[in-house]
Amino acid sequence: MADEVANDIPAPAEDDKGPEEHLVNFTISVDHVFNVDDEGKLPAEAMKSWQYYHVEYNLQPNKPAAKADVVMSGMVAKMYSDFDTRLLKTRTDGDKQYVMWSHKHPINVTKALLLDMFSHTVNIRFWDTKDKVSVRAKFDRPKVFRLPPPPGPKPVDARFDGGGTAQSNARRHLQLEKGMSKVKPSSSETKTDNKVSSTDLTSTTPTEIRRRKMEKDMVSECGKCVLSVPLSSLFAGNTVLLAHSEPFQHFTALKQVIVRISLNKPLMSLSLSKELCPMKLNIVKSKNNPNAPVPYKQLSEQCNPVFARYKFLGEEQVDTEGVPHAKHITWNHQHVILLGVLSRTKLEEFLTGPPFEVELHDRDRRQISSSLSPRYLIFMVTRNICSIPVVNRKLWDHLEYPGTLME
């Protein structure tokens, strides 16, 4: 269970609320997931003296991003934010250890805010470098406290309990660095370092240096890992949104990050729901997709994953996520449309007009890499055209197509 969250951000006063405001508590919960071995120990990368994680997220549109820092020392973690500073509880589940923290944001939801939030996407950005955290998190070195001893003969000490000012700790930090700089390396270490540095200088080209600098600047600005959570599905009555990173794709010691945005009540009040009239469009699955004349295996090699495409009353076209080729495929795609902001006359014409069309794209050819030679490109294009039949869209309705799109 995650920590019980206090009212970190003061709720707006009742006198400030307008007649159509609706107070909703948004809770942002973040899980830092680490792997542990059979003895419950973290890997060597996670057991180094200090680990620093910085998080930023833009919950509301046109508002400054909220920030939080997590500092870890072994099995103990502490969180620093603009609202409070607290120790974090850890939870072990099988071969994984979770470091969890959360913040609650009370927000007065009005119609104007709803219209802005409908197209808003919450971007949660993560860094694992010391230079991104705040000064307080960077130089705070809490006093020693003793954790409950685990099964075994030796107790575990962790240096965390909030003592000392940032200035004094920064001064001690500089003194330690000066003391370490006075220690001279041995002659063998110096020779080895010189060899490595000379090898790096000769093997690094100007192009490689520019590429590394661009990557470093991009990570410093955008984050090492970014999770995007669109808020539009909250308008369909959902109160929980989840997002997670791919395992082992971004960080050295950290395996994965999981973000959960939860609401204590529906986003819209009853009156605002009647006024905006949200409609939820679901595309669940497609059954009996054709396997001839081209089999699924060949389609997977030469075509993009299968997706559905549609367009509703002047909106931009919407594509579902791509899934592998198979006889039966599932999307569970959800899209929300606010009918209350559309023209009533145009909406009636659209709903009483021709049937709503959803395109099934299972024959879109993959793009060929531009790194291939022109001769090979011509051969590949000719081969693809010969092997995959092209159907005239005007004749599509007159062909017997066994695939049916299910809702």
Side-chain angles (χ1 to χ4, degrees), residues 336-376:
V336 180
I337 302 167
L338 297 180
L339 301 180
V341 301
L342 301 178
S343 170
R344 185 180 182 87
T345 304
K346 293 182 179 180
L347 181 60
E348 290 178 351
E349 292 178 357
F350 181 81
L351 296 178
T352 57
F356 180 64
E357 295 182 355
V358 179
E359 301 176 0
L360 179 66
H361 288 250
D362 61 345
R363 296 293 194 276
D364 289 4
R365 299 182 185 87
R366 294 181 183 274
Q367 293 183 355
I368 304 173
S369 175
S370 59
S371 61
L372 301 177
S373 63
R375 218 168 183 187
Y376 189 69

Side-chain angles (χ1 to χ4, degrees), residues 197-245:
S197 60
S198 62
T199 305
D200 292 342
L201 290 175
T202 56
S203 62
T204 303
T205 61
T207 304
E208 183 68 16
I209 293 175
R210 287 194 297 269
R211 185 186 66 82
R212 291 181 181 178
K213 186 179 184 302
M214 290 177 61
E215 290 180 355
K216 184 178 180 180
D217 294 342
M218 185 177 297
V219 169
S220 177
E221 180 179 357
C222 302
K224 201 169 186 179
C225 172
V226 182
L227 299 182
S228 299
V229 184
L231 298 182
S232 58
S233 61
L234 294 176
F235 289 74
N238 299 326
T239 57
V240 178
L241 302 177
L242 294 174
H244 61 84
S245 66

Side-chain angles (χ1 to χ4, degrees), residues 131-359:
D131 59 322
K132 294 296 294 186
V133 301
S134 62
V135 176
R136 181 177 51 169
K138 188 181 298 184
F139 296 113
D140 188 14
R141 289 296 177 269
K143 296 177 181 178
V144 177
F145 80 100
R146 188 174 295 276
L147 290 173
K154 295 183 179 180
V156 179
D157 289 339
R159 289 170 169 76
F160 259 122
D161 190 36
T165 62
Q167 291 81 2
S168 62
N169 287 314
R171 195 179 302 111
R172 289 196 297 269
H173 180 75
L174 294 175
Q175 290 175 356
L176 288 174
E177 287 185 347
K178 290 180 180 179
M180 293 178 63
S181 62
K182 293 179 180 180
V183 180
K184 296 183 178 180
S186 61
S187 57
S188 59
E189 292 178 352
T190 306
K191 292 179 181 178
T192 305
D193 294 341
N194 291 335
K195 290 180 180 179
V196 174
S197 60
S198 62
T199 305
D200 292 342
L201 290 175
T202 56
S203 62
T204 303
T205 61
T207 304
E208 183 68 16
I209 293 175
R210 287 194 297 269
R211 185 186 66 82
R212 291 181 181 178
K213 186 179 184 302
M214 290 177 61
E215 290 180 355
K216 184 178 180 180
D217 294 342
M218 185 177 297
V219 169
S220 177
E221 180 179 357
C222 302
K224 201 169 186 179
C225 172
V226 182
L227 299 182
S228 299
V229 184
L231 298 182
S232 58
S233 61
L234 294 176
F235 289 74
N238 299 326
T239 57
V240 178
L241 302 177
L242 294 174
H244 61 84
S245 66
E246 295 297 328
F248 300 109
Q249 291 294 320
H250 306 281
F251 306 99
T252 303
L254 186 62
K255 176 186 177 183
Q256 192 179 30
V257 287
I258 303 174
V259 174
R260 180 172 59 257
I261 302 177
S262 58
L263 280 63
N264 66 328
K265 63 177 73 172
L267 179 63
M268 293 185 293
S269 63
L270 186 60
S271 60
L272 288 174
S273 180
K274 289 181 179 180
E275 183 178 356
L276 296 179
C277 191
M279 183 187 74
K280 183 171 63 174
L281 193 152
N282 289 335
I283 298 180
V284 180
K285 64 175 66 175
S286 174
K287 299 177 65 177
N288 299 323
N289 298 299
N291 193 27
V294 184
Y296 298 134
K297 182 178 180 181
Q298 189 174 352
L299 288 174
S300 301
E301 295 174 353
Q302 300 182 352
C303 296
N304 292 323
V306 186
F307 66 95
R309 173 176 292 172
Y310 60 91
K311 188 175 182 180
F312 187 90
L313 190 59
E315 286 190 336
E316 295 182 357
Q317 68 180 18
V318 180
D319 294 345
T320 66
E321 64 176 347
V323 295
H325 291 261
K327 184 176 182 179
H328 307 298
I329 56 179
T330 302
W331 291 291
N332 287 326
H333 170 81
Q334 183 182 99
H335 182 63
V336 180
I337 302 167
L338 297 180
L339 301 180
V341 301
L342 301 178
S343 170
R344 185 180 182 87
T345 304
K346 293 182 179 180
L347 181 60
E348 290 178 351
E349 292 178 357
F350 181 81
L351 296 178
T352 57
F356 180 64
E357 295 182 355
V358 179
E359 301 176 0

